[in-house]
Amino acid sequence: MATPSNPPSTSSSAEAPGERIEDVDVSAEMQGSFLEYAYSVIYSRALPDARDGLKPVQRRILYQMTEMGLRPDRGHVKSSRVVGDVMGKLHPHGDASIYDAMVRLTQDFMLRVPLIDGHGNFGSLDDGPAAPRYTEVRLDAAALAMTDGLDEDVVDLVPNYDNQFTQPSVLPAAFPNLLVNGASGIAVGMATNMAPHNLIEVIGAARHLIDYPDATLDDLMEFVPGPDLPTGGTIIGLAGIKDAYTGGRGAFKTRAKVSVESISARKMGLVVTELPYLVGPEKVIEKIKDGVNSKKISGVSDVTDLTDRKHGLRLVIGIKTGFSPDAVLEQLYRLTPLEDSFNINNVALVDGGPRTLGLRELLRVYVDHRLAVVTRRSQFRLARKKERLHLVDGLLVAILDIDEVIQVIRTSDDGEQARIRLIDVFDLSQVQAEYILELRLRRLTRFSRIELETERDQLHREIDELEAILADPARIRRVVSDELEATAERFGTPRRTLLTEARPSIATATSRSSRATPPDLQIADTPCRIYLSTTGRAIRVDLPEDGSELPAAKRRSKHDAILSTIDTTSRAEIGAVTNLGRLIRFTAVDLPSVPANSVQLAAGSRIGDYLAMANKKERVLGFVSLASETPIALGTAQGVVKRIAAGGYPSRPDFEIISLKPGDEVVGVAQGGEGDDLVFVTSDAQLLHFAASAVRPQGVAAGGMAGMNLGGKATVIFFGAVDPALDVVVATISGSSQVLPGTDPGRAKVSVFGEFPGKGRATGGVRAHSFLKGEDQLTLAWAGVSPVAVASDGAARELPETGARRDASGTPLEAPIGSIGTTL
């Protein structure tokens, strides 16, 4: 088709009947349309009003639920019903936006004071809510405080979108909702993002501003030091908060609340109980896993989410052995949402226009709003009281001359004539005459007159009070302040978020040249000494590099009887030998530790729990060094002795180091040189010692060799290695096999080791204790230096003086002895 050379004419002659075509400038049309759209978004959708802190959709939801009577003392109703009523009467937008706004008003992890009581799945920080047909709602008590007074003309009512209903332009708002619950929204060319605060603190600042209108920002920050987030956490750095309170814009960092705990006997972990605002646990877990997979995060072994309804948030982050929990935590703060930023942008509508407000301005707008609400409420109540007083006065006139009133009414032709005659005869107003005509006869009793006179006096007092309030602005301010105080007492809760100044992290503490190298998160491999008590507890003493260790004579322990001691380093592997002939590899890095100069040693950790030994019959007999060239010596209850050649140990976490016969078990372990003596003591009071060199070292799979010949039903009750050059003593305790263990203290003696002659391996030994009448066994025996006796619970016990003959019978004990060991 050919294009005409001239454009079609727009004159009236070219127009079809009923049509009107105009030329418009496209840019001007687009500009005008965009401004109209922007105006609608800013004023009718995205930004909250600074007075009640609500967006239009939120305000309409609360108002419609109030009109529906969904009070806290009534049952829940389907969310779909509320959404439908709000959409049909007040909010001409989609149901999804209405339901999303309703959901936010129910979520206690979003709002500091939720306004709607929800029943059902209203979502979490990681998951969305259920559909509105599955959830139910009703107003929370705090919402009633927001809407209280709507029936007393405290705010202006405006038409809805189709002029069929009215709605409040703003809610009365009994507390500063905008500061307490915060707000977020994106408009055209602007946005708002406000943090929640503590209700008690905000009301305290508002009351201070009421009392002192010229209060400075510093004065108000004495009451409101910073945000109080619904999910708790820790705010670090207060400079950004001061900026936001001054000019309406600022930022702060929030950190999760994390504690370092023992999640198992041998494993430390980070337990997260509070997260930064708007951060969910699944997001944290995902970031940690991504960091571990990409090698950016080290030292984390696993992450477990133990969150439930009863205990709340509990996120457990396992720490690998040898890594410092504090260093790993700083790394997680830097690379995961365990530390997050919040940008404050206090934009709200004031007098119909958007403004960026600081703390003082926000409180000033709210206080002015409440002053206006209380003034209008007082004026409304005063008018109603005067109207009621006018009616009561008319009733009292009628009751005083009731016979004449009845006569006037009976002689009138109709109601209109009766009303006119009542006005003329009794000097009544038209309202009073109408009220008398509608009066029921039962109100004309003597008691009604008394009640009316009482009511009249009460109305006079209330009218005087309201007039006094309206006549004095200071009285109005006091009423507002008192009502705010009552609101704080009713809805206030303690602060959840800790405020603190920023602490340098390991990432920012390093020099510029070293930032390219990731910080070392592992615990330093420092010298230490491991103690095992006779009661089965272990503790680590960290030794200084310069060797300035506190002398053992000045140190005290809650478990002074030491069964085994080993010098090692914190990350070196050592072995724990058990009575079942098993050697368990472990490192002491996660054992409870004390510095070398500590006078008091803690109780330590149960070594069975630390090594996660499942068999309750298995117990640790001592520690050995896997790096030493000295062989390990073992003695069993059936008299078998074995020395394991140094080195060549299996790489498995645990392995057998002796092949035990059925019914046999290891009774002692030692790691000594060729010049040491190996010592056996039996239950029938026989002691045998011989040179360690008499036992040829064997491999771990061997079953050992004969160490001592046993008589009758005797068993070995002690095995150890001693250095004959030292002041070695032998302690023995006798008792009876016919009494319960621990009930009879028995008899004890301590003899010098030199009193016992040495004999060859696989012989019977010599007598170490003489039994008296009623005694038939040794219940305890020990050989070593500086003996210490304790009860079964670790309490100290006294031993006799050293020097008794080797075959003496001993002296009676005052209390039972559970075990014997050496001093620190």
Side-chain angles (χ1 to χ4, degrees):
M1 176 183 291
T3 304
S5 58
N6 296 322
S9 173
T10 60
S11 63
S12 58
S13 60
E15 295 177 2
E19 293 184 356
R20 182 167 174 263
I21 301 175
E22 295 182 3
D23 285 331
V24 296
D25 184 27
V26 175
S27 62
E29 178 67 22
M30 291 295 294
Q31 183 177 6
S33 299
F34 180 78
L35 289 175
E36 290 180 6
Y37 167 74
Y39 181 88
S40 174
V41 172
I42 292 172
Y43 295 95
S44 302
R45 298 177 69 176
L47 298 184
D49 193 296
R51 294 170 291 178
D52 62 4
L54 297 172
K55 300 177 185 179
V57 63
Q58 296 172 330
R59 186 179 304 113
R60 290 164 182 166
I61 290 171
L62 297 180
Y63 175 68
Q64 187 59 39
M65 292 180 69
T66 303
E67 291 294 294
M68 296 171 66
L70 303 181
R71 301 172 57 86
D73 55 351
R74 299 182 181 178
H76 296 78
V77 301
K78 285 289 186 182
S79 299
S80 296
R81 177 183 169 189
V82 177
V83 171
D85 279 12
V86 172
M87 182 171 59
K89 295 181 178 181
L90 303 177
H91 196 67
H93 299 283
D95 56 348
S97 63
I98 299 174
Y99 185 57
D100 288 344
M102 180 190 297
V103 166
R104 188 181 189 277
L105 293 176
T106 68
Q107 294 173 333
D108 57 0
F109 54 84
M110 295 291 292
L111 305 183
R112 196 61 179 80
V113 179
L115 301 177
I116 293 180
D117 177 17
H119 185 211
N121 177 19
F122 280 89
S124 65
L125 288 167
D126 296 312
D127 298 311
R133 62 182 179 273
Y134 298 122
T135 60
E136 298 176 342
V137 292
R138 66 182 177 188
L139 290 175
D140 199 279
L144 294 184
M146 291 289 294
T147 60
D148 184 41
L150 282 176
D151 56 347
E152 294 183 295
D153 192 33
V154 294
V155 294
D156 294 333
L157 296 178
V158 297
N160 72 330
Y161 63 90
D162 61 0
N163 293 320
Q164 292 189 24
F165 304 97
T166 58
Q167 59 184 340
S169 59
V170 66
L171 294 186
F175 60 88
N177 178 64
L178 186 58
L179 277 168
V180 171
N181 282 326
S184 62
I186 301 175
V188 178
M190 62 186 67
T192 184
N193 198 36
M194 304 180 66
H197 291 75
N198 185 271
L199 175 68
I200 298 176
E201 296 174 355
V202 172
I203 287 182
R207 297 184 66 207
H208 184 77
L209 190 61
I210 292 172
D211 295 336
Y212 304 97
D214 296 329
T216 64
L217 176 62
D218 291 336
D219 295 335
L220 298 177
M221 288 189 67
E222 292 292 327
F223 296 91
V224 186
D228 185 22
L229 308 175
T231 53
T234 302
I235 293 179
I236 55 174
L238 306 181
I241 296 174
K242 181 68 176 292
D243 294 339
Y245 288 169
T246 303
R249 293 185 179 181
F252 61 86
K253 290 184 178 293
T254 57
R255 280 186 172 183
K257 182 179 180 181
V258 186
S259 60
V260 180
E261 299 180 11
S262 296
I263 58 178
S264 68
R266 295 181 62 183
K267 191 173 184 179
M268 299 299 292
L270 304 174
V271 179
V272 182
T273 54
E274 296 176 3
L275 286 174
Y277 187 44
L278 304 180
V279 174
E282 291 185 8
K283 182 179 179 181
V284 174
I285 295 174
E286 180 182 359
K287 288 294 184 181
I288 293 176
K289 289 182 178 179
D290 291 344
V292 171
N293 293 335
S294 61
K295 309 299 183 183
K296 294 181 179 179
I297 296 177
S298 56
V300 175
S301 62
D302 57 82
V303 183
T304 306
D305 188 1
L306 301 179
T307 303
D308 57 31
R309 293 181 181 271
K310 181 178 180 180
H311 301 95
L313 176 70
R314 185 173 177 84
L315 197 63
V316 180
I317 304 171
I319 304 299
K320 291 182 179 178
T321 300
F323 284 79
S324 168
D326 292 332
V328 173
L329 177 58
E330 288 290 345
Q331 177 189 219
L332 293 176
Y333 280 145
R334 182 166 50 91
L335 299 175
T336 71
L338 288 181
E339 179 177 295
D340 199 18
S341 296
F342 188 93
N343 296 315
I344 300 176
N345 190 22
N346 296 335
V347 178
L349 298 177
V350 180
D351 297 329
R355 284 179 53 188
T356 303
L357 306 171
L359 176 63
R360 191 177 186 279
E361 291 76 17
L362 286 168
L363 290 172
R364 170 60 61 196
V365 171
Y366 173 76
V367 168
D368 291 344
H369 172 59
R370 282 303 295 177
L371 291 173
V373 167
V374 172
T375 300
R376 292 183 60 165
R377 186 184 66 194
S378 299
Q379 291 170 345
F380 178 86
R381 290 178 178 177
L382 179 60
R384 294 297 179 268
K385 298 295 182 184
K386 288 183 176 180
E387 291 175 1
R388 179 60 184 170
L389 178 61
H390 186 60
L391 296 177
V392 170
D393 288 339
L395 284 177
L396 286 173
V397 170
I399 290 177
L400 288 174
D401 203 355
I402 188 61
D403 294 334
E404 187 175 354
V405 169
I406 295 173
Q407 182 64 28
V408 169
I409 296 174
R410 291 186 62 183
T411 57
S412 300
D413 295 333
D414 53 25
E416 180 63 21
Q417 185 182 17
R419 180 175 58 80
I420 296 173
R421 292 181 64 191
L422 285 174
I423 293 174
D424 294 338
V425 173
F426 297 100
D427 193 20
L428 300 175
S429 68
Q430 185 172 342
V431 175
Q432 290 173 325
E434 288 285 353
Y435 192 71
I436 291 173
L437 288 172
E438 296 175 358
L439 188 66
R440 294 185 177 183
L441 292 178
R442 64 181 177 183
R443 292 292 306 275
L444 303 179
T445 63
R446 180 170 59 88
F447 294 104
S448 295
R449 178 182 174 182
I450 296 174
E451 292 174 359
L452 288 172
E453 290 175 345
T454 303
E455 183 182 359
R456 178 193 60 191
D457 297 339
Q458 179 67 25
L459 286 171
H460 278 296
R461 289 191 295 269
E462 292 175 352
I463 289 172
D464 293 341
E465 177 68 18
L466 289 171
E467 289 178 341
I469 290 175
L470 291 171
D472 185 2
R475 293 281 300 271
I476 295 179
R477 303 176 77 86
R478 177 49 51 197
V479 170
V480 172
S481 180
D482 293 343
E483 290 179 354
L484 285 173
E485 181 182 17
T487 302
E489 292 178 356
R490 184 179 180 189
F491 301 112
T493 54
R495 167 172 279 275
R496 298 176 186 174
T497 303
L498 177 66
L499 301 175
T500 181
E501 290 292 347
R503 296 174 295 171
S505 65
I506 58 173
T508 57
T510 54
S511 63
R512 186 187 185 99
S513 60
S514 63
R515 284 181 182 174
T517 303
D520 186 9
L521 307 181
Q522 298 189 32
I523 298 175
D525 193 18
T526 57
C528 64
R529 179 170 297 144
I530 313 301
Y531 292 105
L532 175 66
S533 73
T534 57
T535 54
R537 290 185 173 271
I539 194 169
R540 185 181 88 236
V541 176
D542 296 323
L543 304 179
E545 298 285 349
D546 58 3
S548 58
E549 181 189 358
L550 186 72
K554 296 184 178 181
R555 182 176 287 144
R556 294 291 181 267
S557 171
K558 293 183 179 180
H559 298 273
D560 285 334
I562 303 301
L563 178 63
S564 179
T565 304
I566 185 171
D567 288 339
T568 179
T569 59
S570 57
R571 295 177 57 193
E573 272 197 334
I574 56 179
V577 178
T578 73
N579 61 319
L580 301 185
R582 193 163 64 106
L583 186 146
I584 304 173
R585 293 176 178 267
F586 74 100
T587 61
V589 67
D590 289 328
L591 273 175
S593 63
V594 294
N597 60 356
S598 176
V599 174
Q600 178 69 44
L601 296 187
S605 175
R606 291 187 180 275
I607 190 62
D609 296 338
Y610 184 79
L611 299 177
M613 292 162 45
N615 191 342
K616 294 183 178 180
K617 295 182 179 181
E618 188 174 19
R619 64 183 187 279
V620 175
L621 301 177
F623 298 146
V624 295
S625 172
L626 300 180
S628 174
E629 296 298 326
T630 304
I632 301 171
L634 303 174
T636 74
Q638 295 180 3
V640 175
V641 66
K642 179 182 180 180
R643 295 180 75 204
I644 299 98
Y649 302 113
S651 59
R652 298 190 299 274
D654 61 280
F655 52 90
E656 289 187 353
I657 58 174
I658 184 173
S659 179
L660 294 172
K661 297 178 180 179
D664 199 6
E665 66 174 356
V666 180
V667 295
V669 59
Q671 196 167 19
E674 298 293 322
D676 289 347
D677 275 8
L678 302 182
V679 183
F680 284 91
V681 181
T682 64
S683 59
D684 60 352
Q686 298 295 309
L687 184 148
L688 172 67
H689 68 91
F690 51 85
S693 58
V695 181
R696 176 178 54 84
Q698 298 176 309
V700 294
M705 59 187 68
M708 181 178 184
N709 291 334
L710 304 179
K713 297 181 180 180
T715 60
V716 175
I717 60 173
F718 173 82
F719 172 82
V722 298
D723 185 352
L726 301 178
D727 295 330
V728 181
V729 297
V730 177
T732 53
I733 300 176
S734 59
S736 172
S737 60
Q738 304 301 315
V739 299
L740 293 174
T743 58
D744 181 17
R747 304 174 69 87
K749 74 175 184 66
V750 180
S751 305
V752 177
F753 182 69
E755 291 283 326
F756 299 85
K759 299 183 70 175
R761 180 181 64 83
T763 60
V766 298
R767 178 172 296 279
H769 196 110
S770 295
F771 295 139
L772 298 180
K773 183 178 181 180
E775 299 177 341
D776 58 358
Q777 66 175 5
L778 287 183
T779 58
L780 195 62
W782 181 86
V785 180
S786 302
V788 175
V790 295
S792 57
D793 60 355
R797 293 286 187 264
E798 292 292 334
L799 284 172
E801 294 290 334
T802 303
R805 299 192 323 270
R806 69 173 178 85
D807 58 350
S809 58
T811 59
L813 293 172
E814 295 181 357
I817 292 177
S819 57
I820 301 175
T822 188
T823 60
L824 293 171

